[in-house]
Amino acid sequence: MSTAGKVIKCKAAVLWEANKPFSIEEVEVAPPKEHEVRIKIMATGICRSDDHVITGALVMPFPIILGHEAAGVVESVGQGVTSFKPGDKVIPLFIPQCGECKSCLGTKGNLCSNTDLASGAGLMPDGTTRFTCKGKAIHHFLGTSTFTEYTVVHESALAKIDSAAPLEKVCLIGCGFSTGYGAALQTAKVEPGSTCAVFGLGGVGLSVIMGCKVAGASRIIAVDINSDKFAKAKELGATDCVNPKDFQKPIHEVLIEMTGQGVDYSFEVIGRTDTMTAALACCQYNYGVSVIVGVPPAAEKITFDPMLLFTGRSWKGSVFGGWRSKDSVPKLVADYMNKKFVLDPLITHTLTLTQINEGFDLLRTGKSIRTVLKF
Ligand code: CND
Ligand code: ZN
């Protein structure tokens, strides 16, 4: 029997408060309103940004359903939705592309004004939620919320993808892969023959390495305090691996010595202020470019020597790899289907939604790259 137009009761991982495990609960998911789409989630990756909400490094309201890196199938559509129909394979977009704001209409940026990243309201664009549990409204996360069997997203925050795409792999295109790969190709625009340094070798950092390699970088230096990450970094294109713990001197000095004048491009893919400054300092003093990809911890500030910028370095940030989400995600899926890049090496664990806390433990103990939860 069709579920369209009805409330769906299903399982979801609810985070009731900070620094607590997820609770697997039965939630009610309301039907999609005008210009919204209800999706059956088939697979979702666990990203460090989800963990940042748990620890408070990324401030969002509780209770909340986290998860933003997923793939699924359309269950039903709200009034006025013409570009999606039940059965379509889709990827939710944590950075929407409304097509109407200054970023979407211009050619320079990808950060749609309708993103919930800055306001952190945890609500649908109309200011309400589609989830309830035990009589309480549950917040959305970045307009996606994928740690649930069903979710509702605005049509501007959804991309239709190839019906042959394997959802348990391409879910990574919803965040980790695209964020890292695009930081190298779209934001930094790494050129052939460049020297790059990548700080942090999780799913996102390893995807930066893949992007640097595709761009033709001749030297890619991978930096992590967990040397267990080095084998995979090399497999994906790193030419050198450095553990800051093996040196007395600061890591930026080590990298400058290794390269003569510093790297052409550096990427901070951890989410720490000290490594953001180190990444800036390790790039070439005149034309080096440093890209912040890791989510900055809330309430922390950076004090740095402005001489680092005065001599000509650039310091940039990159959200969702600089991709215009709705336009780019279907193309990235097509590129994956045409074997232009791999996703398998990033997926180290596959679990079910009810094992979500185990998945987060694997991330926190540095044992996983990406865990994919299959439904
Ligand atoms: P994950 O935790 O898997 O990787 C981080 C890596 O950094 C790990 O391998 C750590 O060992 C390493 N690390 C930790 N501390 C240090 C240190 N002091 N020096 C060197 N290495 C260290 O995280 P992820 O790959 O899922 O995400 C990385 C960051 O990117 C994280 O902050 C996440 O929130 C952010 C991000 C940004 C965006 C965006 O759009 N910009 C999207 N998704 C995630
Ligand atoms: Zn993410």
Side-chain angles (χ1 to χ4, degrees), residues 219-235:
R219 198 163 178 202
I220 305 170
I221 307 172
V223 183
D224 204 297
I225 50 172
N226 178 355
S227 301
D228 293 347
K229 306 275 175 128
F230 292 164
K232 194 143 278 178
K234 285 209 167 131
E235 178 191 328

Side-chain angles (χ1 to χ4, degrees), residues 297-336:
E300 277 188 40
K301 300 277 180 281
I302 294 182
T303 306
F304 71 101
D305 180 355
M307 186 57 83
L308 287 167
L309 296 184
F310 178 71
T311 57
R313 288 179 183 87
S314 304
W315 212 355
K316 306 178 101 176
S318 178
V319 177
F320 195 53
W323 302 105
R324 286 165 172 266
S325 59
K326 216 174 175 44
D327 294 345
S328 306
V329 163
K331 290 184 195 154
L332 287 164
V333 170
D335 284 352
Y336 171 74

Side-chain angles (χ1 to χ4, degrees), residues 48-49 52 175 202-204 224 229 269-270 293 295 318 320 370:
R48 181 64 77 166
S49 303
H52 287 329
C175 180
V204 185
D224 204 297
K229 306 275 175 128
V269 205
I270 304 163
V293 183
V295 172
S318 178
F320 195 53
R370 276 301 197 254

Side-chain angles (χ1 to χ4, degrees), residues 50-113:
D50 300 305
D51 191 52
H52 287 329
V53 178
I54 302 173
T55 62
L58 181 60
V59 178
M60 292 287 158
F62 294 101
I64 190 166
I65 294 177
L66 296 175
H68 62 283
E69 180 180 272
V73 175
V74 172
E75 174 269 338
S76 64
V77 301
Q79 219 187 340
V81 174
T82 53
S83 46
F84 299 97
K85 58 177 190 316
D88 284 348
K89 282 192 179 176
V90 287
I91 289 182
L93 308 168
F94 71 92
I95 301 298
Q97 188 180 344
C98 72
E100 288 163 10
C101 72
K102 204 168 176 191
S103 280
C104 287
L105 288 172
T107 53
K108 288 184 177 170
N110 74 319
L111 201 49
C112 172
S113 307

